[in-house]
Amino acid sequence: MRDLNAETITQAVVSTLGDSVDPRLAEVIEALVRHAHAFVREVGLTEREWAEGIQFLTRTGALCTPTRQEFILLSDVLGVTMLVDAVNNQRGATATENSVLGPFFREDRPQHADGADISDELPGIPLIFEGRVVDHEGEPVAGTLVDVWHSDAEGHYDVDVPGQADPAMRGSFRTDEQGSFSFRSIRPASYPIPGDGTVGELMRATARSLMRPAHVHFLIDAPGFERVTTMLFPSDDLYLDADPVFGVKQSLVAAYDEYAAGTGPHSELTDGPYTLLRHTFVLEPTTGR
Ligand code: BEZ
Ligand code: FE
């Protein structure tokens, strides 16, 4: 293993993997080496560019804390998060598809009773949500844990709303015997992904927009079924075809129906106009992966 050149060095690195290495680890590392080397050769990476790349990754790591994960955000904007999802979750045609989890889910969220108002009186157009969780045969899945979280009318999650100390626009619900759950809140707005770190630098350097279409997140967990991490987008959002994290799927674009004051099926719940969103989530049995 001497006098290696730009072609022979790849096989030389791969051949250093010992026979006792776990076969899956060997497969992943070998492919990583081959693709990394091919990338360097393809773009003719300069020494300065490689040093800048290492600096970028170092600064990305330094931004990570228990509440901020800049590497996941990097994975999101490079399309890797949704690619890993696509490779691992080939669901039937009617099953609810996944989207990104994003950084705003909180483990320490409140539990709510069915129909609760989760807005904590933040200002905005009232949103009434009525959902069902069913299996692939349309049978209700009772007792499903459904987490919900979304932004306010300015595009801020509760943690970023000035003066907002309590959790708002988030929480968990349990489906009833019909697989149903519902809540009241305020209509979310489109908002930019965090742009104050290395991912923001990359997005600006590559002339990409930070704006995500508005959405409500759902994390749906029932024993015996694949966990669904998803969101529902309003069909009239300006950013549906420019999501910087590639999380929009046509099946997740939903009618956020707008009603004038005193009209529609829930006129009794609000004095003014409101939005009604209804959706049925379809789960697939676990495959044991
Ligand atoms: C979100 O929708 O909360 C989100 C997803 C990916 C990156 C940033 C934000
Ligand atoms: Fe979000």
Side-chain angles (χ1 to χ4, degrees), residues 15-47:
S15 65
T16 59
L17 294 171
D19 290 342
S20 61
V21 179
D22 171 79
R24 176 63 179 161
L25 179 63
E27 182 184 5
V28 170
I29 297 297
E30 177 182 331
L32 181 67
V33 169
R34 281 194 285 102
H35 285 273
H37 286 207
F39 161 72
V40 171
R41 282 189 285 265
E42 181 182 325
V43 302
L45 197 70
T46 67
E47 286 156 322

Side-chain angles (χ1 to χ4, degrees), residues 253-266:
V253 176
Y256 281 55
D257 290 327
E258 293 168 20
Y259 290 98
T263 70
H266 289 302

Side-chain angles (χ1 to χ4, degrees), residues 240-259:
L240 283 176
D241 292 314
D243 184 12
V245 298
F246 309 99
V248 179
K249 291 171 177 170
Q250 186 54 40
S251 68
L252 305 179
V253 176
Y256 281 55
D257 290 327
E258 293 168 20
Y259 290 98

Side-chain angles (χ1 to χ4, degrees), residues 96 116 212 227 229 235:
T96 300
R212 292 212 71 207
R227 193 155 101 138
T229 303
S235 54

Side-chain angles (χ1 to χ4, degrees), residues 104 122-123 149-162 164 168-170 186-192:
F104 298 110
L122 286 166
W149 67 108
H150 67 84
S151 76
D152 72 3
E154 305 286 319
H156 295 122
Y157 284 82
D158 53 3
V159 286
D160 292 325
V161 174
Q164 180 67 30
M169 307 170 292
R170 70 171 70 243
I186 51 172
R187 197 179 156 129
S190 34
Y191 65 86

Side-chain angles (χ1 to χ4, degrees), residues 45-90:
L45 197 70
T46 67
E47 286 156 322
R48 185 175 164 173
E49 286 164 346
W50 183 225
E52 276 182 21
I54 288 180
Q55 277 302 318
F56 177 86
L57 293 175
T58 305
R59 289 187 294 112
T60 300
L63 285 170
C64 295
T65 68
T67 55
R68 175 167 189 166
Q69 235 301 354
E70 196 76 358
F71 276 118
I72 294 181
L73 194 58
L74 183 59
S75 161
D76 293 344
V77 300
L78 294 179
V80 178
T81 304
M82 288 310 296
L83 175 57
V84 172
D85 175 63
V87 166
N88 285 280
N89 296 297
Q90 307 275 345

